[in-house]
Amino acid sequence: MAVPIFALGAMILYLVLLAGIARYADRQREQGRSIVSNPYVYALSLCVYCTAWTFYGSIGRAASTGLGFLPIYLGPTFGMILGWLMVRKITRISKEFRLTSISDFVSFRYGRSYAIGAIVTIFSLMVITPYVALQLNAILSSIQIMGGESDIWMGTKFLVAALLAMFCIIFGARHLDPLERHEGLVAAVAFESLVKLVAFLAAGIYITYWLFGGYSDIVQSVLKIPQYNHLINIDYPSWFSLTLISFFAMLLLPRQFHLMVVENSDESHIKKAMWLFPLYLLLINLFVPAIAGAGLLLNTPGLQDMFIISIPLANDQVLLALLVFIGGASAATAMVIVDSVAVSTMMLNELEMPHLMRFIGRGKDLPTLLLTMKRINILLVVGLAYLYSRVVQYQSLVDIGLVSFLAASQMAPAALGGLYWKKGTRQGAMVGMIGGFVLWIYTALIPSLTKVGWLSGDLANGGPFGIAFLRPTALFGLELDVWSHSAFWSLLINVFLYVLVSLMSRPTPEEAALAEGFVDVYREDKERLPAGRRAIRVGTVAELEATLARYVGEVKARSVLDADLASLNATRGTVDARQLLELWDRMERTLTGSVGPSAARLIVEEKVTVQPVMEAVRATEPKYSLRAGRIYLVPEKGYEVFTDQITHGIEGLCITSQDPEEVRQSWRFTETPIIRLTQKKACPGRCISPTNLPLLFITIKAFVESSKNSVILLDSLEGLIQENAAVVPDDEVLDFVNQLERLATGSRTRLLLPARPEFVHRPMAAELNHAENLIFSVGPMPSYLLQAFITAIISAAPEASRGDLVREVNRLLESRDLFGRFRGEPDEGASCDPDMRSNESQARRGIKVDPELRMSRRDFFTVLRRLVKAMRVVDPEVDPQRVLDDLMAKYGFSRFEFYLTPGMTYVIEEDKPRRSMEIFSELVHLGMDGLCISRYNPESLLERYEIDPQRVIWLTQRAEGPYRSVDPTNFPRLSSMITEFLSRARDPLILLEGLGYLITQSNYETLLRFIQSQRDDIALKGAILLVHIDPLSLDTKELHRLKSEMETLDAGTKKAGVEKGPELPGKT
Amino acid sequence: MTMKLSRDGLLEHGEFWLLLFVAGVILLNWPVLAIPGFASGPFGIPWRLVYIVAVWLLMIAFAYFFDRGSS
């Protein structure tokens, strides 16, 4: 009796030692001296893979199947060979998005899917419960072997379970950590890995070289005994399938994911683990065949799994047996601790938080509640496992490890597929996993439960309803071992459904963006957050901190925020809009780490979304016909038009500075959400400060994205601009209007902007006015835009010349010459309110753009060209190309709008007119009036370049079909068509292509004369003519004469064009 | 024409690890695994076990050199 009590005491002391190690590691971390952040500890922690099932079970498998235990360790070895490709990628993604469990990882990849997270968690819990029970039973069995069978040990199991649960809570749920990193726990697990290796090697050396004459002695002796001849053979299908599922298990088991990914502090540690972990696996298995053989040769009584303890005990090596017992306990406790912590986090994030979010009040102490729930989860996992272990004996659990591995493998298609395949969708992942799990239950779990007597053999042996063809162990007549059979069917169906359903379904924009973020995680130029959600989540720093504090506590929130601010080189007082945007991005990640992706999304959405709701539909026809994707300026009837739309089946959002109740009563809409623009902090309903433009924008964006057919009333843009004048930087207002325009014109919404005629820069009709180029149409936006461009160009100029440049620009801005004929004179009553002038920012920048300036889009680029040219005269070093390209992209302009000067004729040299067509199409889509004279069929131009056939004159001698055409010899006709076009176009652009054909059909001189005459017309009308030439179709002299009539445009290729643009004005 | 081969940076290529993974799976599965029998090899240990451990060690060695070369 003394031995087992001694063993139990030793185990308790050992747990106390582990607690000491963990505490020491935590303290070191608090002092900034991490002992865990090194590759050796990291590699050792991964060896949690070797549980009691390895420590004891490998020997049992070796004694019954020979080398059949090895695939369980070869799989992870192969996995680590791909460590730098796969593990690093998973780690990078998880760090980037703060994913803290395998369920977070899979659910986040598929659009933060609550359902997928819940499925993964439930199955993890199902798998972990018997697996943890196995560990408890293994500890108890080893104690029983040391002390003999007795009922008194049942109490020991409870004691062990209670101790382990306590240990898990202390070191896995002592406080909330947004990153879910637990250095104490990692240190303890790494230490345990060392202990179990030392114990195993000590027992192996003793048995192999002390009791026997070495490895060869044991192996040869075993092979001489006929009843063990089968140990020579390898069951190859089983070998392969076990290798495969253990490869997946090494990546996807909750404990492996936790230690390998979540606890990883440095990606470079993976390199060390790539060889240390497989080496560990090799070493711990080195003596397995020898110990198993020795046990068989010595006819050791009891469980074959326990040979490693029973052989030393039978030879009176009590201390060695005790060491082995501690090694086994190490293997078991490490698994229980890490899995309990990992699965409890998964339960909290995936199952509880999404529901909790809906029911908890604002006054609750959330951090304490979250911690408590996590601790309860740990108790639940260990408690369930304890109850399970009470009803099932160790012998019945030996296959549980493989059943668990198979279950974990069912996550592989969704998890690993999502890592490399962008087309994998939420539906595909869900259907695939469910299909795989169903097959797993049918082909693996049912046979296992039948084997231990929990189910009758009727189903497993005879098939359902006696249909042998559907037997769980030989589905459709496929006769294999149970593991290969289950792996084959479950993974086949899983992968098949995943791929098929993914191809048949469409991802949401957010899901597609997340897929990009996962698959292209190494791409330097990718958006840091998925594009679809990039501009979401903005408020004040105080709002941000308060939101975060609710979930992680005030102290933690403050420290996280301070660290983030420091990393952005900002303070609470100086943070700008862009930094604030980044802070909110980071906050969502921090929350994802704390409460999981589903709940983090709910928290963020709670703050920003407005759900689209439809009003009761009237049985009349709508009075106003509005097209989706358009912006309308409405002088008087904004609310009337809006009400007309929302009562005819369109979902509406009303943004107003008026009292929402008054609006509702006046216009009699009940369901449609109203956002009030007010500075008041305590206002009923949904309110947004008019100066919080980013929050207002994301609210609108969230609404637009969640509705398929919507209308938005913003009353009023003018008031909004006035409120923000001198409060926020002009470019923030500009960005708001620009983003709003791009959002409205790129979606299925209609944007109604009630506006006074004086606010708009063009004559307006009484009712609806389609606003193209909003940014050039209202208030001080053109001047804000010009100011933004000039400021950026001067900022990029050499510092020494900036003062001169500012002076020159201001001189030009004040002179009428710069603006020429289109100078915006302040009409009576048309001027913007003086408050709109952001004098402060102008003074700060030194650029004085008149806020009353009115410019069309074309005028804007003319002014900009003149300014750039003048700046290059002041300082030839000014090279604004990159700045201009960035700004053009930001505001959705084409770079050619700047580089092409009205009144000029340009020649584009390329063999096929591909780039010429692209430029033409691009400019026409941006609002220029285009005419394309081409040898190509208008139908093919529509298909290839989206050029409207109405804009094409087809050079052909076969005047058939619905298209406008002209005979290539009929230059007078062509000329009159061009003249007619120029007379009616506001912003004309002509592309002439097919010169080779024209020359062939007439002659070179005629063509040259035609171009010369058109060139004059072009100059007079302020149009732009692009002429495509294939340089090889003309001889050198002809080419030179033609080119001398025109400017050369270096259009480049589409890609190269980004790097090298056309020549800048003023370049010498 | 002479062919120039270089080992420089070989281990840095993702494709190399993919190749090693595939090679490892092939070498440690049927039919290649059936070639070494259970006849006694060095120190009386069956050739099959020696072969498995040798391939295992080879993969570890590659990973070790990768780590050493880049640290």
Side-chain angles (χ1 to χ4, degrees):
Chain A
M1 187 61 72
V3 171
I5 290 176
F6 186 51
L8 191 60
M11 187 185 158
I12 292 170
L13 280 178
Y14 178 67
L15 284 176
V16 171
L17 174 67
L18 286 182
I21 291 169
R23 184 84 190 101
Y24 174 72
D26 272 346
R27 280 200 175 161
Q28 290 296 102
R29 184 199 180 184
E30 284 159 14
Q31 292 166 9
R33 296 194 297 263
S34 171
I35 61 164
V36 166
S37 185
N38 82 65
Y40 296 98
V41 173
Y42 174 69
L44 279 173
S45 72
L46 300 192
C47 303
V48 72
Y49 181 81
C50 301
T51 65
W53 185 58
T54 297
F55 199 85
Y56 299 120
S58 289
I59 294 168
R61 271 189 78 79
S64 58
T65 66
L67 297 179
F69 71 98
L70 277 176
I72 308 295
Y73 308 96
L74 288 175
T77 301
F78 292 137
M80 291 314 288
I81 288 298
L82 294 181
W84 200 237
L85 298 182
M86 199 176 279
V87 178
R88 184 168 70 119
K89 189 169 189 182
I90 295 172
T91 307
R92 176 73 64 90
I93 291 167
S94 298
K95 297 282 177 235
E96 180 132 351
F97 296 106
R98 298 262 176 111
L99 306 176
T100 54
S101 66
I102 180 65
S103 54
D104 275 6
F105 184 83
V106 182
S107 70
F108 193 86
R109 161 63 180 80
Y110 296 101
R112 300 170 168 90
S113 167
Y114 165 71
I116 289 182
I119 289 172
V120 173
T121 303
I122 289 168
F123 274 91
S124 295
L125 185 62
M126 279 175 62
V127 165
I128 289 310
T129 302
Y131 206 167
V132 173
L134 171 73
Q135 312 302 314
L136 294 175
N137 272 346
I139 293 173
L140 187 76
S141 295
S142 56
I143 291 178
Q144 283 175 336
I145 284 174
M146 295 186 79
E149 293 279 344
S150 170
D151 286 344
I152 63 167
W153 304 124
M154 293 313 291
T156 306
K157 195 191 288 182
F158 179 78
L159 182 66
V160 170
L163 278 172
L164 288 179
M166 193 173 75
F167 193 90
C168 294
I169 288 171
I170 292 173
F171 294 100
R174 195 152 55 91
H175 51 74
L176 276 183
D177 186 337
L179 293 173
E180 279 298 334
R181 295 197 57 216
H182 312 93
E183 293 214 350
L185 191 128
V186 175
V189 169
F191 179 74
E192 287 186 296
S193 295
L194 269 183
V195 170
K196 64 193 177 197
L197 181 64
V198 168
F200 208 104
L201 289 177
I205 291 168
Y206 167 73
I207 292 168
T208 309
Y209 296 104
W210 191 270
L211 290 183
F212 287 86
Y215 219 106
S216 58
D217 180 22
I218 296 173
V219 172
Q220 292 309 318
S221 303
V222 169
L223 294 182
K224 281 176 189 163
I225 302 171
Q227 75 181 94
Y228 299 133
N229 278 349
H230 70 280
L231 298 179
I232 297 171
N233 302 322
I234 288 178
D235 178 2
Y236 291 109
S238 167
W239 179 279
F240 176 79
S241 42
L242 292 186
T243 306
L244 182 71
I245 62 173
S246 50
F247 166 76
F248 290 144
M250 190 279 292
L251 294 167
L252 304 171
L253 277 173
R255 67 174 185 280
Q256 291 304 127
F257 189 91
H258 184 85
L259 287 170
M260 192 161 58
V261 175
V262 181
E263 300 286 0
N264 175 284
S265 59
D266 187 337
E267 272 182 16
S268 67
H269 294 174
I270 295 170
K271 284 185 180 176
K272 199 75 79 186
M274 279 172 67
W275 64 272
L276 268 176
F277 179 38
L279 184 62
Y280 184 99
L281 295 177
L282 178 62
L283 289 175
I284 205 165
N285 284 292
L286 208 54
F287 289 103
V288 168
I291 296 170
L296 294 174
L297 291 171
L298 295 171
N299 290 319
T300 310
L303 288 169
Q304 290 180 333
D305 286 20
M306 296 292 163
F307 280 171
I308 192 167
I309 287 189
S310 48
I311 294 175
L313 263 185
N315 289 280
D316 295 328
Q317 296 296 325
V318 178
L319 282 179
L320 180 59
L322 197 62
L323 177 64
V324 172
F325 166 74
I326 292 294
S330 284
T333 54
M335 182 272 170
V336 175
I337 291 165
V338 182
D339 259 339
S340 304
V341 171
V343 175
S344 69
T345 305
M346 289 162 70
M347 288 166 68
L348 181 69
N349 288 358
E350 315 299 342
L351 298 180
E352 293 152 6
M353 275 309 294
H355 294 291
L356 203 63
M357 294 307 309
R358 301 180 199 277
F359 300 113
I360 46 177
R362 287 209 157 261
K364 294 275 183 190
D365 179 4
L366 267 178
T368 307
L369 181 66
L370 294 180
L371 259 185
T372 308
M373 293 198 62
K374 193 165 177 182
R375 289 167 183 170
I376 291 171
N377 289 343
I378 289 175
L379 288 176
L380 194 70
V381 172
V382 180
L384 272 175
Y386 169 71
L387 291 176
Y388 197 94
S389 72
R390 289 291 304 267
V391 293
V392 185
Q393 294 301 305
Y394 175 79
Q395 297 93 310
S396 309
L397 286 170
V398 289
D399 287 338
I400 286 296
L402 282 176
V403 177
S404 301
F405 276 27
L406 257 173
S409 302
Q410 302 311 319
M411 292 181 250
L416 303 184
L419 205 56
Y420 295 100
W421 192 46
K422 290 180 188 174
K423 291 182 185 172
T425 66
R426 179 186 309 183
Q427 289 91 336
M430 205 168 343
V431 174
M433 271 198 291
I434 290 172
F437 278 128
V438 169
L439 262 296
W440 166 77
I441 290 170
Y442 190 68
T443 56
L445 197 60
I446 289 176
S448 296
L449 295 179
T450 304
K451 191 176 171 185
V452 299
W454 279 28
L455 293 175
S456 81
D458 295 348
L459 178 62
N461 301 325
F465 312 110
I467 306 170
F469 197 56
L470 297 177
R471 271 184 300 153
T473 50
L475 197 57
F476 303 122
L478 182 68
E479 299 276 358
L480 283 170
D481 67 280
V482 68
W483 310 119
S484 305
H485 179 262
S486 179
F488 175 80
W489 284 117
S490 60
L491 288 174
L492 179 76
I493 295 299
N494 192 333
V495 171
F496 179 79
L497 290 175
Y498 172 60
V499 174
L500 184 72
V501 177
S502 290
L503 293 176
M504 291 168 66
S505 54
R506 287 175 66 106
T508 60
E510 185 194 0
E511 196 186 328
L514 285 168
E516 291 265 344
F518 264 53
V519 176
D520 297 331
V521 69
Y522 294 125
R523 241 178 64 192
E524 297 277 326
D525 58 338
K526 70 180 168 51
E527 291 268 343
R528 288 199 60 241
L529 260 187
R533 298 173 61 83
R534 178 76 184 123
I536 304 185
R537 295 167 291 284
V538 183
T540 63
V541 175
E543 281 174 1
L544 187 151
E545 189 175 345
T547 305
L548 193 57
R550 278 198 82 208
Y551 302 94
V552 299
E554 285 181 15
V555 176
K556 193 83 190 173
R558 178 163 284 271
S559 72
V560 167
L561 197 59
D562 286 344
D564 284 344
L565 280 166
S567 71
L568 292 171
N569 288 325
T571 65
R572 286 161 196 267
T574 63
V575 65
D576 63 27
R578 205 167 293 279
Q579 289 166 329
L580 201 54
L581 197 76
E582 174 65 24
L583 280 179
W584 276 81
D585 285 349
R586 292 185 184 196
M587 186 203 81
E588 190 184 355
R589 290 173 208 203
T590 306
L591 280 174
T592 300
S594 290
V595 299
S598 306
R601 184 187 197 187
L602 283 173
I603 292 164
V604 171
E605 287 191 345
E606 179 197 22
K607 294 193 74 66
V608 302
T609 58
V610 182
Q611 294 300 322
V613 188
M614 208 179 282
E615 293 285 334
V617 179
R618 290 179 187 164
T620 55
E621 288 293 312
K623 187 176 172 186
Y624 300 96
S625 173
L626 271 62
R627 279 174 58 179
R630 284 199 167 181
I631 301 169
Y632 294 92
L633 296 163
V634 196
E636 294 165 0
K637 300 181 178 176
Y639 284 90
E640 183 184 318
V641 177
F642 180 71
T643 311
D644 177 64
Q645 296 295 299
I646 60 174
T647 51
H648 288 93
I650 297 175
E651 294 163 334
L653 171 66
C654 177
I655 303 162
T656 179
S657 50
Q658 299 177 33
D659 180 355
E661 282 313 306
E662 283 179 17
V663 171
R664 282 191 197 284
Q665 284 173 9
S666 303
W667 297 98
R668 292 179 190 167
F669 51 80
T670 54
E671 304 295 328
T672 300
I674 299 179
I675 293 173
R676 186 174 187 184
L677 296 173
T678 176
Q679 295 284 10
K680 287 181 191 168
K681 295 219 165 169
C683 83
R686 185 172 285 273
C687 302
I688 293 179
S689 162
T691 54
N692 194 344
L693 293 176
L695 183 61
L696 178 60
F697 175 72
I698 60 169
T699 308
I700 297 172
K701 186 169 185 276
F703 172 81
V704 169
E705 285 176 350
S706 53
S707 172
K708 289 180 179 167
N709 193 20
S710 59
V711 58
I712 297 167
L713 178 76
L714 175 55
D715 181 23
S716 71
L717 184 60
E718 184 179 0
L720 207 59
I721 294 170
Q722 283 178 350
E723 289 257 19
N724 282 283
V727 177
V728 302
D730 297 346
D731 48 6
E732 195 173 310
V733 181
L734 182 68
D735 284 352
F736 172 78
V737 176
N738 176 47
Q739 287 192 47
L740 193 64
E741 181 178 10
R742 297 178 77 174
L743 177 70
T745 52
S747 64
R748 296 279 309 156
T749 196
R750 302 134 184 94
L751 179 61
L752 292 176
L753 299 173
R756 294 184 304 133
E758 296 81 1
F759 177 66
V760 182
H761 299 171
R762 63 186 174 95
M764 288 216 291
E767 292 184 339
L768 293 170
N769 300 273
H770 173 212
E772 283 179 298
N773 294 322
L774 181 68
I775 211 162
F776 293 103
S777 304
V778 292
M781 288 303 111
S783 71
Y784 285 5
L785 187 69
L786 188 61
Q787 185 172 291
F789 270 72
I790 297 170
T791 306
I793 294 168
I794 292 178
S795 300
E799 197 166 351
S801 60
R802 283 183 202 161
D804 294 337
L805 290 172
V806 169
R807 277 188 290 280
E808 176 63 8
V809 166
N810 282 337
R811 188 188 69 74
L812 287 167
L813 287 171
E814 284 166 12
S815 77
R816 287 176 176 269
D817 300 342
L818 181 65
F819 300 96
R821 60 182 169 79
F822 61 85
R823 169 76 187 208
E825 294 295 341
D827 299 340
E828 194 179 338
S831 62
C832 301
D833 193 301
D835 286 348
M836 285 184 190
R837 303 179 189 195
S838 48
N839 293 327
E840 188 184 317
S841 55
Q842 283 171 11
R844 180 160 47 85
R845 290 170 184 165
I847 305 295
K848 296 170 186 165
V849 183
D850 184 355
E852 295 169 9
L853 189 63
R854 292 173 169 200
M855 285 180 292
S856 67
R857 188 175 181 125
R858 176 187 163 108
D859 297 337
F860 169 78
F861 287 107
T862 303
V863 170
L864 196 62
R865 268 190 296 272
R866 289 174 186 168
L867 284 172
V868 169
K869 191 173 179 182
M871 282 193 257
R872 292 180 66 83
V873 171
V874 173
D875 182 357
E877 295 296 310
V878 171
D879 186 7
Q881 185 159 309
R882 183 175 288 276
V883 176
L884 281 172
D885 285 347
D886 289 347
L887 287 169
M888 296 286 188
K890 179 180 175 183
Y891 292 103
F893 302 148
S894 164
R895 57 215 303 273
F896 291 101
E897 288 182 276
F898 174 79
Y899 293 117
L900 296 176
T901 307
M904 300 291 285
T905 299
Y906 294 92
V907 59
I908 303 173
E909 290 182 73
E910 54 179 344
D911 52 352
K912 298 279 183 192
R914 190 178 61 81
R915 193 73 190 110
S916 309
M917 292 291 182
E918 284 172 354
I919 294 169
F920 177 82
S921 175
E922 185 177 319
L923 292 171
V924 168
H925 280 103
L926 287 169
M928 290 187 79
D929 298 312
L931 178 68
C932 175
I933 302 162
S934 172
R935 174 72 188 112
Y936 287 91
N937 183 328
E939 195 68 34
S940 67
L941 294 179
L942 174 66
E943 195 174 308
R944 291 175 64 185
Y945 303 105
E946 296 178 11
I947 296 174
D948 182 358
Q950 298 290 324
R951 297 184 181 279
V952 180
I953 295 176
W954 186 13
L955 297 172
T956 178
Q957 290 177 320
R958 295 188 176 182
E960 293 170 5
Y963 309 114
R964 278 199 297 170
S965 62
V966 67
D967 189 293
T969 58
N970 193 350
F971 281 100
R973 169 74 183 135
L974 185 57
S975 187
S976 71
M977 289 170 95
I978 292 173
T979 306
E980 190 270 329
F981 167 75
L982 290 175
S983 66
R984 60 180 167 80
R986 279 185 303 147
D987 192 2
L989 169 73
I990 300 172
L991 171 63
L992 175 59
E993 178 278 316
L995 259 57
Y997 181 60
L998 288 170
I999 293 170
T1000 310
Q1001 295 300 319
S1002 56
N1003 58 65
Y1004 177 80
E1005 292 301 329
T1006 311
L1007 175 73
L1008 188 60
R1009 279 198 298 277
F1010 169 73
I1011 290 178
Q1012 284 167 341
S1013 70
Q1014 294 311 313
R1015 193 186 147 199
D1016 295 340
D1017 279 352
I1018 292 292
L1020 286 170
K1021 297 285 182 183
I1024 295 169
L1025 173 62
L1026 303 177
V1027 180
H1028 163 258
I1029 292 179
D1030 176 2
L1032 297 179
S1033 67
L1034 300 169
D1035 66 35
T1036 311
K1037 192 177 165 189
E1038 288 172 343
L1039 183 64
H1040 179 74
R1041 284 179 68 197
L1042 202 56
K1043 284 173 70 176
S1044 68
E1045 294 290 325
M1046 302 175 261
E1047 296 288 320
T1048 301
L1049 180 69
D1050 179 10
T1053 61
K1054 201 166 188 177
K1055 266 189 178 173
V1058 175
E1059 297 303 320
K1060 183 180 179 301
E1063 210 160 270
L1064 289 161
K1067 203 165 185 174
T1068 53
Chain B
M1 190 173 70
T2 55
M3 187 169 61
K4 287 184 180 175
L5 297 174
S6 169
R7 284 179 306 172
D8 293 349
L10 179 67
L11 303 184
E12 303 293 332
H13 293 287
E15 291 84 350
F16 172 79
W17 295 103
L18 211 57
L19 181 73
L20 191 62
F21 170 79
V22 173
V25 172
I26 290 171
L27 289 175
L28 291 179
N29 270 288
W30 185 89
V32 182
L33 189 54
I35 296 171
F38 251 82
S40 288
F43 309 107
I45 301 167
W47 273 113
R48 182 168 292 176
L49 191 56
V50 172
Y51 169 76
I52 291 169
V53 171
V55 175
W56 201 335
L57 278 172
L58 197 67
M59 288 192 287
I60 291 169
F62 274 116
Y64 169 74
F65 286 120
F66 173 54
D67 175 41
R68 207 183 65 164
S70 55
S71 59

